Amino acid sequence: MWWVIFAAGVFLFAISCLNAMNLMLVRVLGRMRELSIRLAVGCGRARIARLFLIDGAVLTTASGGIVLLVARWWFHPLFALVYGDPVTSSDFFADWVIAGSVTGLCLVTALAIALLPILQISKADLVGGLKAGGASTGDNRHRGRLRSAFVAIQAALAVILLVGTGLMMRTVQRLQAVDLGFDPTGKVKVELVFPPGFEPKPAARLQYFERLRERVAAIPGVKSAAFGEDALLVGGYHAPAPNFEMKDGKYQSVAVSFLSAAYAETAGMKLKRGRWFSDRSGEQEAVINETLARFRFGDEDPIGQSFKFRGYRERQFQVVGVVRDVRETVRDAAGMRFYLPDSGAPTAVSALILRLDHESGPAFKGMVRRTIYDFDPMLITNYVASLHERAEGSLHAERLTLVILRGLAVIALTLAVIGLGSVMAYSVGARTREFGVRLALGAPSANLYRLVLKRGMATVTLGVLIGTAVAIAATRFLQTLLFETASYEPGVYLAVTGILLLSGAFACWLPARRAAKVDPMVALRAE
């Protein structure tokens, strides 16, 4: 996750540098006559180069100061809001790391945005600069292509960021739509721990939990309660040594959970066929999930068939029901699992599951802890967790990445639009006399409008094509964060292409409108 965010930050930094370089290049072209006069009266090129370095340093120092103020006063609260954990602003080391990073980036940026003007000055034609006048002094086709290339690269980097954001949005949407095998809404899981030496005997453990269940079920808002081994969103698939007899007679590792008879109804687990096991002691009944039914029995109906469980003295268990797969995590598909009555292993019983008529809050969780403490002060409540919150919390990495990528993508798109708009505005200003001549010779205003739009959209289209090709290769590194989403998702690429093209058309609209309204008499008037 952090490498993805770092790469997105690098792309945004590159877009910013390209934008600043483009604007600085335009500024140099506008000052080419002044710079030529400076050179003519004896000013050395090295001194002018230092002038541009100072300009870049002043610009980046101002921006760096703003960043440090934001980091000092707003970074920690924003980080706590996005990440969900409080961050102390007195973390001196982190502040110095931020200050050092910003200083280093300022130096790199100052050098980057001053390099191109320095190269232009080193190759400047002194005589040509003194002869020409106006805003377009020193401009030529090569420099125009260079500015367009900068804009195309900005658009390409913006495409990569927008594609990454779109893929993360699809991932979060599909993770939220995952069928967990039960409805987590209004479900609360309570994990309990006995201190060493205070555990009830196996024969009395189930009676102990039954009395505790009755006490907790009396809490206002609790519709039903059950107990058993932890079986909902356990955090991963954990299976013991080979214990389940498969069709070929070999044993395979299959997860098993010991639950009470009321567990399935309370948890909202959905039976596909058959029934849940009864609470009659001594019955050798089992319920299996869909994955195990498919691997063990294939197309046969598993209801009424038997299997051996090695961990239970090789006894035969009869399948009485098939339950929908319950995922151990939101991301991972459910593994093979079967369920047995809690009487088979009383020592495995360590959790309560509660079904409420509303979502739980801190006050309710406090009531549960207090009730358990009143029931038995020696019993330790390890945690009281809302399964809905637990499912949402498991998407933390994806949500954090999406929030950051979305912010960076919006900034990148804005910078790309500003860069294209500024370049097109300069181009229109530099070609004002040409547009005046065209209009004076009878060219319709609509032709000039289309001419400016065509040039701007050609630059954006080139950037989109380059960015799409790079994004298909680069977003493979997002694959570990993606869920049921390919790195070449067509819908995402079409949406990003549409956004970039519409944004590019908007950026070209004002310069094109300005070109179409040029007054030929004003444009042709001598300066």
Side-chain angles (χ1 to χ4, degrees):
M1 178 183 69
W2 297 115
W3 282 110
V4 171
I5 295 174
F6 175 76
V10 170
F11 287 156
L12 184 59
F13 177 69
I15 291 174
S16 304
C17 288
L18 288 170
N19 216 337
M21 291 169 67
N22 225 344
L23 295 177
M24 187 67 76
L25 179 60
V26 169
R27 185 183 180 190
V28 170
L29 296 177
R31 297 176 60 189
M32 190 61 74
R33 182 177 176 83
E34 170 205 341
L35 297 175
S36 297
I37 294 174
R38 285 174 179 264
L39 291 172
V41 298
C43 180
R45 296 178 188 265
R47 180 173 295 182
I48 294 179
R50 286 198 299 272
L51 179 64
F52 284 111
L53 283 174
I54 292 173
D55 286 347
V58 170
L59 178 63
T60 55
T61 300
S63 60
I66 295 173
V67 170
L68 288 176
L69 287 176
V70 171
R72 179 65 181 87
W73 298 107
W74 294 338
F75 174 77
H76 296 296
L78 287 175
F79 184 83
L81 179 65
V82 173
Y83 193 70
D85 293 331
V87 181
T88 59
S89 59
S90 60
D91 190 347
F92 188 76
F93 174 75
D95 289 344
W96 275 109
V97 169
I98 293 173
S101 301
V102 171
T103 302
L105 289 175
C106 286
L107 291 175
V108 172
T109 306
L111 291 173
I113 64 178
L115 179 62
L116 194 59
I118 291 173
L119 291 176
Q120 295 297 318
I121 290 299
S122 65
K123 299 177 182 179
D125 181 8
L126 180 60
V127 177
L130 291 173
K131 285 183 178 179
S136 60
T137 301
D139 200 8
N140 55 36
R141 182 173 297 180
H142 170 72
R143 295 188 181 96
R145 288 176 178 174
L146 183 61
R147 293 196 303 273
S148 298
F150 283 166
V151 173
I153 296 173
Q154 290 181 62
L157 295 175
V159 166
I160 298 173
L161 283 177
L162 287 170
V163 166
T165 303
L167 294 176
M168 287 306 304
M169 290 179 64
R170 284 289 182 90
T171 290
V172 172
Q173 290 172 356
R174 288 170 179 172
L175 283 171
Q176 289 176 331
V178 163
D179 183 8
L180 300 175
F182 69 99
D183 184 7
T185 306
K187 306 298 190 309
V188 173
K189 181 168 62 173
V190 184
E191 186 178 87
L192 304 167
V193 178
F194 288 98
F198 288 91
E199 295 187 13
K201 301 296 183 183
R205 190 176 181 115
L206 297 184
Q207 297 177 2
Y208 177 92
F209 268 91
E210 178 60 28
R211 294 195 304 271
L212 176 60
R213 184 199 68 79
E214 293 174 356
R215 183 74 66 88
V216 174
I219 297 175
V222 178
K223 299 178 68 173
S224 64
F227 55 86
E229 194 174 1
D230 186 8
L232 303 176
L233 294 179
V234 297
Y237 182 72
H238 308 289
N243 58 352
F244 191 94
E245 183 187 29
M246 302 303 286
K247 200 167 186 178
D248 57 2
K250 296 181 180 179
Y251 284 86
Q252 188 165 336
S253 296
V254 177
V256 57
S257 298
F258 295 89
L259 308 175
S260 64
Y263 196 96
E265 182 180 358
T266 302
M269 298 168 67
K270 303 169 185 177
L271 280 168
K272 300 294 291 184
R273 63 181 77 173
R275 60 175 176 84
W276 194 254
F277 45 71
S278 64
D279 57 355
R280 294 190 298 271
S281 178
E283 294 287 340
Q284 306 299 316
E285 297 175 336
V287 175
I288 62 177
N289 69 353
E290 293 176 290
T291 300
L292 181 56
R294 184 170 57 254
F295 275 90
R296 173 63 175 81
F297 299 101
D299 297 330
E300 301 177 16
D301 186 0
I303 303 300
Q305 299 200 48
S306 300
F307 64 87
K308 285 184 180 180
F309 177 32
R310 175 176 284 176
Y312 206 75
R313 304 185 185 91
E314 300 285 348
R315 289 188 183 181
Q316 293 278 349
F317 284 85
Q318 185 181 31
V319 178
V320 297
V322 177
V323 71
R324 180 175 291 183
D325 289 337
V326 174
R327 289 176 176 258
E328 288 80 19
T329 68
V330 176
R331 269 185 168 273
D332 301 325
M336 295 186 293
R337 183 179 293 273
F338 64 102
Y339 305 93
L340 296 178
D342 52 11
S343 57
T347 56
V349 176
S350 60
L352 295 173
I353 183 71
L354 312 179
R355 181 163 61 94
L356 315 181
D357 54 9
H358 57 81
E359 273 300 323
S360 63
F364 176 81
K365 294 176 182 178
M367 291 174 60
V368 172
R369 291 180 178 274
R370 182 65 186 177
T371 300
I372 295 174
Y373 178 82
D374 291 341
F375 175 79
D376 185 354
M378 299 305 300
L379 185 58
I380 300 171
T381 305
N382 198 17
Y383 63 78
V384 181
S386 164
L387 289 177
H388 179 74
E389 294 175 358
R390 202 176 184 92
E392 291 293 316
S394 65
L395 306 181
H396 173 73
E398 291 81 2
R399 292 182 186 279
L400 177 61
T401 305
L402 175 59
V403 168
I404 296 177
L405 284 182
R406 189 156 44 193
L408 296 181
V410 169
I411 298 173
L413 179 61
T414 304
L415 289 177
V417 170
I418 292 174
L420 177 62
S422 62
V423 168
M424 296 308 300
Y426 174 79
S427 178
V428 169
R431 300 175 66 183
T432 300
R433 292 176 62 86
E434 173 196 340
F435 292 154
V437 172
R438 287 175 179 265
L439 290 172
L441 294 177
S445 298
N447 285 1
L448 300 183
Y449 195 93
R450 286 194 297 269
L451 179 66
V452 175
L453 275 179
K454 180 180 178 181
R455 179 177 178 183
M457 294 307 296
T459 302
V460 174
T461 303
L462 176 62
V464 169
L465 292 175
I466 296 173
T468 300
V470 175
I472 293 176
T475 50
R476 291 186 297 108
F477 298 102
L478 268 176
Q479 201 63 52
T480 55
L481 285 174
L482 301 182
F483 176 78
E484 295 182 357
T485 304
S487 59
Y488 48 86
E489 189 86 11
V492 172
Y493 283 88
L494 288 175
V496 169
T497 300
I499 291 173
L500 259 298
L501 292 179
L502 287 175
S503 300
F506 174 75
C508 297
W509 176 67
L510 285 177
R513 188 166 174 265
R514 176 186 169 192
K517 292 187 175 182
V518 168
D519 186 347
M521 297 304 297
V522 174
L524 295 175
R525 186 178 299 153
E527 297 180 358

